[in-house]
Amino acid sequence: MLTALAISGYRSLVDVVLPLHPLTVITGANGTGKSNLYRALRLLAEAGHGRAVAAIAREGGLDSVLWAGPETPQGLGAQGTKRTRPVAVRLGFASDELGYVLDLGLPQADPRSPFTRDPEIKREQVFTGPFARPGTLILDRQRTGVRVRGDQGWVSLNQPMGPGQSALLDLTDGTALPESVALQHRIASWRFYDHFRTDAGSPARAPQIGTRTRWLSDDGSDLAAVWATTQDAGRGASLDQAVEQAFPGSRVQIAVNEGVFRLQLRQPGLLRPLDAAELSDGTLRFLLLCAALLPADPPPLLVVNEPESSLHESLIAPLGALLTAASAQTQVIVVTHSAVLRRVLAQAGAETVELESAGYGTRVRDQLPLERPSWHWPSR
Ligand SMILES: Nc1ncnc2c1ncn2[C@@H]1O[C@H](COP(=O)(O)OP(=O)(O)O)[C@@H](O)[C@H]1O
Ligand SMILES: [Mg+2]
């Protein structure tokens, strides 16, 4: 389980460290940085696929994602002040097992290089315990050099890292630590869900070739296959229960015809089940969330952004129950704007982190110094 998330220099998140729990609700008024936090976490997950540099380039490069305000709160109001510190976007987390720190900065590339939007990985660390410090590091990458700690102490690896290469992914066989390989696998399995399409052309409405599918894809196109996979693994009861809570008397069934799967909903008062193509936007969205949140073999972390959007009020309490059920199987982070959902989840034992915009970027509201997890960013 992740125990802390730390972000520095990413958009409005100038300097945020927050605790994470089995079920964490991230909330706050409009413009306080909830989506930025979701994106920062997603960026960290991209690092597990070796795609963090490309993801920043797609967001417009470091210039776009870097905190656009002054370096210190004292500099507020002074537009155009020159930077004195190195440009850095830093992301990290701690967990019960291992933690990871990623520091991205401006490339040292040839000015004629065409890859002007690519940031450079300046530092990467893998550590045990609640935060990185010299005694807890097991891998330390500084620019091109990587050191790993073995039984005999630190060993410098004879494999220079390229500016976009990651010590989690790009070490050759035999030099990578089994711990960091396991960490990379874990990060790469985090799942993110954000605004499923439910319009008439949504891929979730179309029949699909059914193959065993562990986790719902981002666009929900494999909804029927994931539902059938979960049922096949003997875990259909929790799906049925979530559907019953949201739509009393209704039941999902998967119709199979020559390997093509269709999701259908039997509802009281109707003589035939309705096909996914015929369901209302809200109903389809709720079923997508069920499939995303209750897979038979849950991922290590599920992050959902504003799951309440376009759901009818009457579905907020069932959504809360669904998220709570998911958190009994895996760690869940819910980013939400809805006061009702936040209340329902708090009653079910979720911890709430409220963000606020305090003039100088995003802050955690009412965070006392002792409530802020200890964190240490490495210098370059
Ligand atoms: N590079 C940046 N530097 C500083 N602030 C930024 C940057 N990019 C976006 N922001 C600001 O971050 C704020 C929070 O955005 P967002 O996370 O979308 O809010 P929420 O999801 O809570 O409504 C916005 O007001 C936006 O202006
Ligand atoms: Mg938002």
Side-chain angles (χ1 to χ4, degrees):
M1 186 185 92
L2 303 197
T3 53
L5 173 68
I7 304 157
S8 156
Y10 180 79
R11 298 191 181 273
S12 64
L13 305 164
V14 199
D15 171 32
V16 169
V17 185
L18 47 98
L20 294 174
H21 307 272
L23 176 55
T24 311
V25 179
I26 312 277
T27 181
N30 273 328
T32 49
K34 299 182 298 297
S35 296
N36 291 343
L37 194 120
Y38 176 84
R39 292 162 89 170
L41 201 49
R42 213 171 165 144
L43 194 54
L44 208 40
E46 292 289 356
H49 297 280
R51 299 192 299 237
V53 164
I56 288 196
R58 273 198 306 277
E59 285 192 50
L62 268 188
D63 288 346
S64 306
V65 305
L66 188 71
W67 160 241
E71 282 180 339
T72 60
Q74 289 75 39
L76 273 183
Q79 268 202 13
T81 322
K82 268 230 163 66
R83 289 183 185 279
T84 56
R85 296 190 214 140
V87 165
V89 169
R90 295 177 294 189
L91 309 162
F93 67 85
S95 80
D96 298 335
E97 292 156 359
L98 293 171
Y100 177 62
V101 171
L102 177 67
D103 173 359
L104 296 145
L106 290 175
Q108 299 284 297
D110 183 326
R112 290 161 304 179
S113 160
F115 304 107
T116 51
R117 286 186 161 195
D118 280 17
E120 191 169 297
I121 299 182
K122 303 287 186 185
R123 197 107 199 219
E124 274 179 296
Q125 294 182 323
V126 177
F127 59 93
T128 57
F131 62 95
R133 53 190 173 81
T136 62
L137 292 182
I138 60 166
L139 179 150
D140 192 12
R141 177 251 181 103
Q142 195 157 17
R143 299 256 159 110
T144 57
V146 184
R147 301 185 300 152
V148 294
R149 197 206 294 265
D151 296 338
Q152 321 295 328
W154 285 104
V155 181
S156 293
L157 303 182
N158 188 16
Q159 188 197 338
M161 291 273 107
Q165 283 189 309
S166 162
L168 283 187
L169 270 130
D170 297 312
L171 291 176
T172 47
D173 291 351
T175 56
L177 292 175
E179 291 93 332
S180 63
V181 174
L183 181 69
Q184 179 262 319
H185 278 283
R186 267 187 103 69
I187 300 176
S189 316
W190 296 352
R191 296 295 297 141
F192 292 81
Y193 294 104
D194 184 20
H195 296 276
F196 291 113
R197 260 184 68 190
T198 51
D199 57 285
S202 154
R205 293 189 183 276
Q208 52 213 242
I209 302 288
T211 61
R212 277 208 172 76
T213 309
R214 197 177 181 197
W215 298 329
L216 190 68
S217 61
D218 290 356
D219 64 359
S221 57
D222 43 15
L223 172 63
V226 171
W227 204 287
T229 305
T230 308
Q231 285 177 331
D232 192 51
R235 302 291 285 270
S238 46
L239 286 174
D240 291 342
Q241 196 185 342
V243 172
E244 174 64 34
Q245 263 173 356
F247 314 108
S250 302
R251 205 180 154 87
V252 167
Q253 60 186 44
I254 306 298
V256 180
N257 184 6
E258 296 190 4
V260 175
F261 288 22
R262 318 177 82 97
L263 180 134
Q264 301 178 326
L265 186 67
R266 282 204 164 276
Q267 288 162 285
L270 294 185
L271 298 178
R272 65 167 180 89
L274 293 189
D275 201 85
E278 303 169 292
L279 298 176
S280 79
D281 285 7
T283 303
L284 181 62
R285 195 175 297 263
F286 193 86
L287 297 181
L288 283 159
L289 286 164
C290 290
L293 287 161
L294 297 173
D297 171 21
L301 176 70
L302 275 164
V303 191
V304 266
N305 192 31
E306 303 195 349
E308 72 279 6
S309 62
S310 10
L311 287 188
H312 186 261
E313 276 164 26
S314 64
L315 288 177
I316 302 296
L319 172 64
L322 174 61
L323 289 160
T324 308
S327 72
Q329 308 190 73
T330 185
Q331 186 169 20
V332 178
I333 300 176
V334 187
V335 180
T336 181
H337 188 64
S338 158
V340 184
L341 180 60
R342 168 189 170 172
R343 209 163 43 241
V344 170
L345 290 173
Q347 276 163 4
E351 298 284 341
T352 304
V353 175
E354 184 169 351
L355 302 181
E356 64 180 1
S357 178
Y360 190 64
T362 296
R363 266 203 343 209
V364 176
R365 184 156 188 195
D366 296 334
Q367 191 179 41
L368 299 170
L370 280 175
E371 290 165 354
R372 179 178 155 116
S374 302
W375 193 260
H376 173 74
W377 296 114
S379 63
R380 289 198 181 149

